[in-house]
Amino acid sequence: MPSDEDSMVVTPYEVKGDIDYDKLVKQFGAELIDAALLKRFEKHAGELHYLLRRGVYFSHRDMKWVFDELEKGNPFFLYNGRGPSGHTHIGHLTQFIFTKYMQDKFQVPFYFQLTDDEKFVHNFEMTLEQTNFFARENALDLIAMGFEPDKTHIIIDSEHAGTLYPLAIRVAKRITFSTVRATFGFTNSHNIGQIFYTSFQAVPSILHSVRVGRNVPCVIPLAIDQDAHFRVARDVLPKIGYFSPAILHSKFLPGLQQGGKMSASDPESAVFTVDPPKVIEKKLRNAFTGGRGNAAEQRKLGGNPDICSIFANYQLVFMPEDDKLGEIERRCRSGEMLCGECKGICIELATEYLTKHQERREEARDKIEDFLLKDP
Ligand code: TRP
């Protein structure tokens, strides 16, 4: 009989079954973020980010080592990325917000990889021109968050191939087909672009070390489905003379419909940063909530924020203040507030936030060249 573990599949290219995070952490050989580690975060950063306080980032690899090195005077650099299969949504913003906090607090370099190559080889419907278009559009969202241009390096795979390729083949030489087949669930019908790609995703985790000519620890905040790439990379990189990158895992971000996660290729699953106010309103009005069958029942029994996509949007982006979020939760659970009112609050906050973001996003069009990695 298949166990739960067998039915739960979490790879960068497939997420299936009921997600049990404790099991996943064990299966992947990672570690839960515990109170002691949170203390070290707080001590060094001066404050604990709400995404850490709320357990959105919940698991890690080697962060104790990162803090040990930091205490010895050897700070880290940051790396993460995004597969440009469409416009940026709230889930991606969560990652940007957290990385921005890390850069602000630790004043470290940040490499951001836009994988137009990956999304091209994985999606038969998309042309390379389209994935490259979205790479540049997604870059605007990152820049709009206020990252520091002199410390932030945006990599677009198809455009920075000259810098990445000599490092990627050094990685690729150490990875067998049987490893990627087992790690990503590939079969004989996957194309060889897909098989090779993981070596490209490994490269930014050593790129800063290569550029400065000494080994620098790397910290990668990511959603846990991306872990597979770095399980492979962490095995290989020490064999070619580099540190394995440390990882901070976040949970999946629930989509606006029941049971799904936010997906850039499904416009109804999330609010996107380019959505105009009318679309934001429509999507949030139609969103799945933890409400009851009718108002009377909900007044009596209360709603359930644990399964509510509106509550998730507050938690992730629109309500960083714990006291405000606590009040929403209390009013929901007690039945004092119904979903209509709650959605109204969310629509107002989202519209205000995204209207500002959209202005900064347009201003970013002139700044993109300042942020693109300068090839050596
Ligand atoms: N493969 C990722 C995606 O599809 C993009 C990516 C590249 C990434 N490098 C990364 C994500 C590092 C997290 C961390 O979204």
Side-chain angles (χ1 to χ4, degrees), residues 47-51 53-54 97 311 313-329 345 349 352-353 356:
E47 75 179 292
L48 212 48
H49 195 265
Y50 71 86
L51 292 168
R53 290 200 305 267
R54 294 175 187 172
I97 288 168
F311 193 72
N313 273 273
Y314 286 137
Q315 254 183 328
L316 298 174
V317 176
F318 301 127
M319 217 172 256
E321 310 89 347
D322 286 348
D323 51 343
K324 282 193 193 157
L325 189 73
E327 182 59 8
I328 291 271
E329 179 170 358
I345 298 171
L349 289 176
E352 193 190 313
Y353 185 104
K356 282 199 198 113

Side-chain angles (χ1 to χ4, degrees), residues 12-13 79-84 92 95 113-115 118-119 157 197 201 204 220-223 225-226 229-230:
Y13 306 114
Y79 160 39
N80 67 34
R82 147 124 186 82
H92 307 122
Q95 206 188 86
Q113 181 180 36
L114 286 156
T115 60
E118 177 192 21
K119 292 298 147 178
D157 281 355
Y197 167 73
Q201 187 154 327
I220 314 177
L222 47 71
D225 61 321
Q226 291 296 315
H229 287 295
F230 297 105

Side-chain angles (χ1 to χ4, degrees), residues 132 136 139-140 143 149-150 152-156 159-160 363-375:
N132 183 257
R136 286 180 165 263
L140 300 177
I143 296 168
D150 54 335
T152 305
H153 310 285
I154 298 179
I155 300 164
I156 301 181
E159 300 180 35
H160 288 97
E363 288 160 21
R365 287 192 193 274
D366 298 331
K367 301 187 194 151
I368 221 175
E369 296 306 319
D370 301 341
F371 281 86
L372 289 179
L373 177 76
K374 308 289 171 294
D375 280 310

Side-chain angles (χ1 to χ4, degrees), residues 253-317:
L253 308 169
L256 292 175
Q257 271 102 47
Q258 185 167 15
K261 61 176 196 124
M262 291 188 201
S263 162
S265 32
D266 175 3
E268 294 306 314
S269 70
V271 172
F272 286 73
T273 60
V274 294
D275 284 344
K278 280 221 165 68
V279 175
I280 299 172
E281 179 169 3
K282 185 176 135 260
K283 283 184 184 175
L284 292 176
R285 278 281 164 224
N286 293 334
F288 171 73
T289 70
R292 306 277 171 180
N294 60 55
E297 211 182 306
Q298 192 162 340
R299 293 248 180 250
K300 205 165 109 208
L301 302 171
N304 180 6
D306 302 334
I307 57 164
C308 176
S309 71
I310 295 288
F311 193 72
N313 273 273
Y314 286 137
Q315 254 183 328
L316 298 174
V317 176

Side-chain angles (χ1 to χ4, degrees), residues 90-101:
I90 298 303
H92 307 122
L93 279 190
T94 306
Q95 206 188 86
F96 298 174
I97 288 168
F98 185 72
T99 310
K100 172 83 166 64
Y101 151 84

